[in-house]
Amino acid sequence: QTPRWTNPALTAKHGDNVRFHLIAMGTDLHQFRLKGYKWVDPGTHNLIDRANIGPLENHVFTIKSSHSADYIDRNFSNRLMGMRGDFNVTR
């Protein structure tokens, strides 16, 4: 069994296109950040490096993998609960 708030380590090869589909469960607000990456904010031409996601909302985006990074929920209380993980890029 995996404890609640345990996030998987994600792996991709260098140069792969990787699609993230984030879903906010429950009633918390979340601020997702993938360190060192920017992506197009859906429906705009703006590049962003974090996404605010409200209860039962989702956020989908694609990046080209170039380096390993952490992903984290920057909401303070969620961060204290360990809402973070690793994005590992291999050659």
Side-chain angles (χ1 to χ4, degrees):
Q1 291 184 341
T2 303
R4 187 174 183 208
W5 309 123
T6 300
N7 295 305
L10 306 174
T11 304
K13 289 183 183 175
H14 185 269
D16 281 352
N17 290 320
V18 180
R19 184 179 196 182
F20 286 81
H21 190 151
L22 311 172
I23 303 171
M25 302 301 291
T27 58
D28 289 342
L29 297 173
H30 302 273
Q31 185 183 73
F32 175 85
R33 180 165 185 222
L34 182 61
K35 292 182 182 178
Y37 283 93
K38 290 190 176 192
W39 58 91
V40 176
D41 190 12
T44 74
H45 297 288
N46 301 327
L47 286 177
I48 59 174
D49 66 354
R50 63 194 72 203
N52 295 313
I53 308 167
L56 302 176
E57 291 181 341
N58 66 19
H59 183 75
V60 179
F61 65 95
T62 303
I63 59 160
K64 183 169 288 287
S65 60
S66 61
H67 61 277
S68 295
D70 296 359
Y71 62 89
I72 190 167
D73 184 341
R74 299 217 8 110
N75 177 305
F76 184 71
S77 62
N78 293 335
R79 198 169 4 146
L80 288 176
M81 289 188 280
M83 295 183 85
R84 63 161 305 282
D86 297 314
F87 176 56
N88 301 313
V89 176
T90 62
R91 294 246 175 223

